[in-house]
Amino acid sequence: MWMNDYNVLIPWAGIRSALPAENAAIQNNTPPRQWTLGNIANMKAQMKRLGFAYDWSREITTCLPEYYRWNQWFFLKLFEQGLAYRKNSKVNWCPKCANRAGQRTGRKRLLLAP
């Protein structure tokens, strides 16, 4: 489509700030922010070497405060309006993915109202 003069957006995502990335950083004795940003730079370099024609000026890095502060703000607005609430619920628990805080099933979670 791009070769036919259409504007094309190809979203690409990697697990950058999820619990497995945090655990990998801990295992490698590296601060999670440094680990994550290093992995992003590595993947970007690989994609450039492969010749992918991404417009890197449109990149969004969701683990940076400039991005997630707006997610948090938006979620708080939903919560204030009663469109998000807290309740006990079952959690798909993976013992391998446990972080140092020791997350467990049955904890209160914030959920979006149906």
Side-chain angles (χ1 to χ4, degrees):
M1 296 302 286
W2 178 67
M3 290 170 51
N4 289 321
D5 207 28
Y6 285 88
N7 288 324
V8 178
L9 177 64
I10 303 172
W12 178 86
I15 299 175
R16 297 178 178 173
S17 60
L19 195 52
E22 184 178 338
N23 287 337
I26 291 167
Q27 289 171 357
N28 288 283
N29 200 26
T30 306
R33 178 185 174 96
Q34 181 182 334
W35 175 262
T36 301
L37 295 177
N39 283 329
I40 292 169
N42 186 35
M43 284 299 296
K44 218 167 139 176
Q46 291 176 28
M47 293 166 101
K48 286 180 179 181
R49 282 195 305 269
L50 286 169
F52 291 176
Y54 289 119
D55 179 359
W56 293 106
S57 70
R58 298 174 71 180
E59 177 183 18
I60 298 171
T61 306
T62 59
C63 64
L64 295 177
E66 295 81 28
Y67 175 85
Y68 67 74
R69 69 177 278 203
W70 294 110
N71 273 5
Q72 291 173 344
W73 176 85
F74 184 71
F75 194 85
L76 286 173
K77 294 301 172 194
L78 291 171
F79 187 72
E80 289 166 5
Q81 296 297 314
L83 297 171
Y85 57 93
R86 187 182 297 258
K87 78 172 204 174
N88 283 324
S89 64
K90 290 186 178 184
V91 176
N92 187 6
W93 174 251
C94 170
K96 289 183 191 177
C97 300
N99 66 6
R100 290 184 177 178
Q103 296 177 350
R104 297 284 181 252
T105 57
R107 293 185 65 185
K108 288 192 180 246
R109 302 285 183 202
L110 286 172
L111 305 169
L112 291 177

